[in-house]
Amino acid sequence: MYQPKSLHAEEFINHVEIMDTLEYAQKNKENVSILSEILAKAEQKKGLNHREAAVLLLCKDKSINQKIKQLAHQIKLDYYGNRIVIFAPLYLSNYCVNGCTYCPYHIKNKHITRKKLSQADIVREVTALQDMGHKRLAIEAGEDPVHNPIEYILECIDTIYHIHHKNGAIRRVNVNIAATTEEEYHMLKEAGIGTYILFQETYHKESYEKLHPIGPKHNYDYHTEAMDRAMAGGIDDVGLGVLFGLESYPYEFVGLLLHAEHLEAIHGIGPHTISVPRVKRADDIDPNNFDNSIPDEIFAKIIALIRIAIPYTGMIISTRENKAVREQALSLGISQISGGSRTSVGGYDISELEDENSEQFDVSDRRSLDEIIYWLIELGYVPSFCTACYRTGRTGDRFMAFCKSGQILNYCHPNALITLKEYLQDYAAPKTKKIGETLIQKELRQIPDAQKRLQTEEYLKKIANGARDFRF
Ligand code: SAM
C-alpha cells in the first residue's frame, strides 16, 4: 500500500501508486478542465503533487507545453533569481565492487584503468581546481569497502578542506558515494560535508535489480531508503537524481516526485537538490543498449516540470550535456552547473598524462571554467561561487524557510556578487573580468535592502584590495 510516511521503500515508492498515477495522467492528459485547474495551481508557485505533475508530463498540447516552459522560467527567477551556482566533480577512486550495467566502473570491466587518489594526489588535483577558481566540489567514488572505506573518504575530505593555494580554498564538499549506514552518514556529517547526493538510478524495482545484478548496490530497498538513514545520521541536505535512459521516463518522473514528497512528509524538508543525468557513452558502455533514452525536448520538459512541482529545490546539470542542452535547461529551472569538469580519477592535474580510459562518462561540454563563466554572464546569469548558507548553518529546514520566504535577494544575491568578484580578481581572463565587472555594477541595484547593498559595496572594495571570504 502507498504510504508516503512509511520508512519502507516499497511503501513510499509504491509501484501500484506509480501505475495508478500514470493511468490517471493518461486518462486526463487532454481533459481541459483538469489541465486548467492544475495550471492554475502551478501558477501559485507553491508546487504540484505527483498526480498533477504527471498529467502535465503526458499532455501533448503545444500551447500547454509552452505555458509549462514559461512558468518554469518564472518560478526559477522568483525562487533563485538569475544566479547559477558553480561546482566541479572530483573523482577519488574508480575501484568498485558493484555490477551496474551502465557504469564503466562495474566490477567486470577488466580493461578500465583502476585508480585511487593518494592524499598527495588530492593536493595536486585540488590545487589545480583552486587555480581554475573552484570553491565547491562534489566528490565521487565507486563502492569498495577495501579500497574506498569510509575512513578513506573522510581522510580525503579533511585533506581537501585544508588545502589553501594562493587565495584558493574549497569551502564546500558535497559527497556522492554509495548508500551506507546511518553511522557512516553521521561521520560524513561530522566531517563537514555539504549535500549528500545519491542517484536512485531507477525507481523501478525489477529493472533496478537487473541493472545492478551483483554487489551491495543490488539491494533496492537499502539504496532507496538511504536518504532516510542520511537524515537520521544528521545530514540536513540530500540530493536526489534519476539516471534517465534506464527506464521509461514517466515512471521515473513519478518515482522522483514520490521520493521528494516522502522526504517532506517524514523530515519536513524535501530534497536540497535534484540532478538530471542521462546515460552517456563510456568505456565498455554503449548508451544504445539502454532503450529508454529520452530526446532533448522531453528532457527539457522534465526539467521544467520538476521546477514547477518542487519550486524550492536546487537543480543540477552536469557536463554530461552539451552547451545547447545546458543553455535551454538553465532557462527552465537549473540552478547549479559543473564547469571545466574531468570525470577521470586524477584528471585535473595536467602534470599527469590524462588517461581517458578511467573516465566515468564522456564529457559533452568540454569548455574551460572561464569559458563557462563568460558564457553565463553573456546569457545574463550571475555565476556564483557562494557557499555561505551551509557555512552559516542555513541548511535543511532553515534553508528551505529562508528560500520560501523570499530572502534570497538580500542574501544570495550579494553573496553571489562578492564570490564572483573574487573569481574575477584571482582567476578570470581579461575579457571575462571586463564583462563580469559590468555585471556586478548592474546587479548591485537588484539588492532590495539598502543596508545590505552598502555592505556589499564595502566588501567588493575590500576584495579589490586583496581581502577574501566575506559572506552574508
Ligand atoms: N558509486 C556511487 C553510487 O553507486 O551511487 C557513486 C556514484 S557514481 C561515481 C555517480 C553517478 O554517475 C552514478 O550514480 C550514475 O548515475 C552516474 N553514471 C554512471 N554511469 C554513467 C554513464 N555511463 N553515463 C552517465 N552517468 C553515469
Side-chain angles (χ1 to χ4, degrees), residues 225-253:
E225 293 159 8
M227 294 314 193
D228 296 302
R229 292 194 301 280
M231 286 185 146
I235 294 178
D236 281 340
D237 294 334
V238 297
L240 302 180
V242 156
L243 186 54
F244 285 101
L246 301 180
E247 243 300 333
S248 87
Y249 72 84
Y251 193 100
E252 302 294 28
F253 178 76

Side-chain angles (χ1 to χ4, degrees), residues 91 102-105 140-143 176-178 198-199 201 217 223 243 277-280 282 285 320 360-361:
Y91 282 76
Y102 49 83
C103 181
Y105 295 176
E140 315 266 343
E143 179 168 13
N176 183 4
I177 60 166
L198 180 70
F199 299 160
E201 321 300 6
K217 196 166 169 178
H223 188 83
L243 186 54
R278 286 194 284 186
V279 181
K280 294 286 163 180
I285 305 298
R320 289 176 181 85
Q360 201 203 9
F361 51 81

Side-chain angles (χ1 to χ4, degrees), residues 29-30 35 58-66 301:
K29 65 181 184 184
E30 286 165 8
L35 283 164
L58 298 197
C59 170
K60 292 207 170 81
D61 183 278
K62 279 203 179 118
S63 67
I64 290 186
N65 283 337
Q66 197 48 38
K301 186 171 176 184

